[in-house]
Amino acid sequence: MEESLNNKQKELSSRLYKPLIFYIPRKFWVEMDGEKWNDKEFDALFDTVVLMKTDGSNKALQNGASNYYLLSKTAELDKNTYALLEMRSKLDEDSFQFLAKKYCIEVAFYKRISTWMLDHIQEDIPEINNETLLSFELQKTTFENHWEYLQKHFVPSSEIKQTIPDSNSTAKDFEIIQDLVVNPLQSKNENKNSPKTTKKEKKILITAAAAEKFLLETVFNVKF
């Protein structure tokens, strides 16, 4: 049963970040160590919009088309709702509440992060176009709507707020994401010794496996 619940939880979690649009705010890291993180070596890492598609592939968006991919967000989260409803009828109460609470904590995290990114992206990335901005807005609204349904039908919001309060995001919410980035975080020596890649390849910033590792570790790094 434990393994089965774990697999179900992973399935639910994967739909939270597929699709997903996000960026890593440079200002958090500059506050900690400006001399290091202001280096041009990390320009491709920070304040770069990344689009994670439903199939797990991803790329630096560079103001490309994104609305089409985010329109499927509601459908993916609806799949999770249906799955939870089905599991509630099949699992014992303790098992279901454990699974539901874990999932709701993840959703609360995404809701907070998506709101923060929408509120700050024009400040951090002034050149962002209207379509990309709309995608961030659509993502925020989708997570909010999903969260509203969850707290009414599965887990009371008061229980989740004890774990993830409605407060402003900090570097702690983004710090593990640096492990996702492949090319920009290589040291200058490593870059010299590594095979040359094309610019097109460098647009792919993270792997699907690394994305799952980051997003799960970030969520479950909070205090339960």
Side-chain angles (χ1 to χ4, degrees):
M1 177 62 72
E2 181 179 351
E3 182 179 355
S4 178
L5 283 178
N6 185 53
N7 290 337
K8 292 178 185 299
Q9 184 177 326
K10 287 183 178 179
E11 182 180 344
L12 294 172
S13 298
S14 68
R15 295 194 188 108
L16 291 176
Y17 64 87
K18 298 176 184 179
L20 189 74
I21 190 169
F22 67 94
Y23 75 99
I24 310 173
R26 188 170 205 155
K27 57 191 176 187
F28 286 152
W29 275 260
V30 170
E31 289 177 2
M32 294 185 287
D33 189 344
E35 183 177 355
K36 175 181 179 180
W37 296 112
N38 268 323
D39 193 296
K40 290 185 178 297
E41 178 183 6
F42 302 106
D43 284 353
L45 165 62
F46 295 113
D47 299 334
T48 297
V49 177
V50 177
L51 174 66
M52 172 77 73
K53 300 180 183 178
T54 305
D55 63 3
S57 63
N58 61 87
K59 65 177 181 178
L61 190 58
Q62 297 182 338
N63 275 332
S66 58
N67 289 178
Y68 169 81
Y69 300 100
L70 269 298
L71 286 173
S72 66
K73 192 73 187 176
T74 297
E76 291 301 307
L77 297 184
D78 282 347
K79 291 178 183 178
N80 280 358
T81 300
Y82 299 144
L84 286 170
L85 290 170
E86 183 178 5
M87 283 185 277
R88 183 162 62 183
S89 66
K90 295 181 177 181
L91 296 174
D92 62 78
E93 182 65 18
D94 288 342
S95 296
F96 177 74
Q97 285 302 317
F98 176 82
L99 182 75
K101 185 173 182 180
K102 291 282 190 182
Y103 177 71
C104 288
I105 288 172
E106 290 187 79
V107 175
F109 170 82
Y110 282 101
K111 181 176 75 73
R112 188 177 73 171
I113 291 298
S114 63
T115 297
W116 188 94
M117 288 190 293
L118 178 61
D119 290 343
H120 294 85
I121 191 167
Q122 287 181 294
E123 171 190 341
D124 296 333
I125 311 177
E127 65 274 16
I128 186 175
N129 64 11
N130 288 333
E131 179 178 352
T132 304
L133 187 63
L134 180 60
S135 291
F136 276 96
E137 184 175 356
L138 177 61
Q139 178 171 261
K140 174 201 171 191
T141 301
T142 304
F143 277 125
E144 286 180 338
N145 290 340
H146 188 53
W147 167 246
E148 290 297 321
Y149 185 90
L150 291 175
Q151 66 175 328
K152 289 179 181 178
H153 298 278
F154 295 105
V155 179
S157 60
S158 58
E159 294 186 28
I160 305 304
K161 287 181 180 180
Q162 294 176 9
T163 305
I164 301 183
D166 289 331
S167 59
N168 195 25
S169 296
T170 67
K172 291 182 179 180
D173 292 318
F174 292 92
E175 61 185 359
I176 305 175
I177 202 170
Q178 65 190 47
D179 295 332
L180 299 179
V181 182
V182 179
N183 290 312
L185 276 186
Q186 291 178 331
S187 69
K188 295 179 180 179
N189 290 333
E190 288 174 332
N191 285 334
K192 289 180 181 179
N193 296 327
S194 60
K196 292 183 179 180
T197 56
T198 63
K199 291 184 178 179
K200 185 176 182 180
E201 290 173 331
K202 287 187 177 181
K203 290 181 182 179
I204 301 176
L205 300 182
I206 58 180
T207 65
E212 182 174 1
K213 178 178 181 292
F214 158 67
L215 294 169
L216 293 179
E217 285 185 356
T218 301
V219 172
F220 293 111
N221 191 42
V222 298
K223 182 178 180 181
F224 289 96

